[in-house]
Amino acid sequence: MISHSDLLRRNGVAVTAQRLAVLRAVAGRPHATADDIAEDVRTEIGTISRQAVYNVLGVLTEKLLIRRIQPAGSAARYENRTGDNHHHLVCRDCGKTVDIDCTVGKAPCLTPADHSGFLIDEAEVVYWGICPDCLQKDKPAESLS
Ligand SMILES: [Zn+2]
Ligand SMILES: [Zn+2]
Ligand SMILES: [Zn+2]
């Protein structure tokens, strides 16, 4: 695996302490929100404005070094698992997000019956459900069956 500094340089992004810290935070906490990332970055390098974190996330996303996902009703989340077409499973209660490998692997992995003349390059697949922790919490109050 190449270092984060090399990764930035190879993609034409100047190496700065802020960019390195954001990359590390995203790698260390997949599917974190910008606020989560800002918190981790502050622990590591001290003061950094929210806007600065957003700016760095924007640059890294644009260069495809990180991937931005935004499930409906959730804040944007970031991860450094890029270059594959994996999907996400999101908890309706707490927003916990986990990776689901795509069974096809390449986008678009779903073929519509009628493409209406579009050249389709992606099918956005999000699985929704209740995570084990929330299932456990809800148990005494109500039964799901
Ligand atoms: Zn949950
Ligand atoms: Zn993911
Ligand atoms: Zn798929």
Side-chain angles (χ1 to χ4, degrees), residues 57-70:
L57 287 169
V59 170
L60 298 179
T61 305
E62 198 177 303
K63 294 286 183 180
L64 306 178
L65 298 179
I66 59 175
R67 178 173 159 193
R68 180 183 191 275
I69 58 163
Q70 185 153 26

Side-chain angles (χ1 to χ4, degrees), residues 52-128:
V53 171
Y54 274 95
N55 292 346
V56 173
L57 287 169
V59 170
L60 298 179
T61 305
E62 198 177 303
K63 294 286 183 180
L64 306 178
L65 298 179
I66 59 175
R67 178 173 159 193
R68 180 183 191 275
I69 58 163
Q70 185 153 26
S74 157
R77 291 163 182 273
Y78 298 86
E79 64 184 338
N80 72 335
R81 181 175 166 184
T82 58
D84 69 353
N85 186 49
H86 75 272
H87 304 304
H88 294 97
L89 173 56
V90 183
C91 176
R92 288 187 190 281
D93 275 4
C94 68
K96 181 185 160 85
T97 303
V98 299
D99 288 338
I100 301 281
D101 286 337
C102 178
T103 48
V104 176
K106 262 173 56 184
C109 57
L110 296 172
T111 315
D114 176 1
H115 60 71
S116 299
F118 280 55
L119 174 64
I120 295 171
D121 57 41
E122 187 186 349
E124 192 173 287
V125 181
V126 178
Y127 297 89
W128 293 93

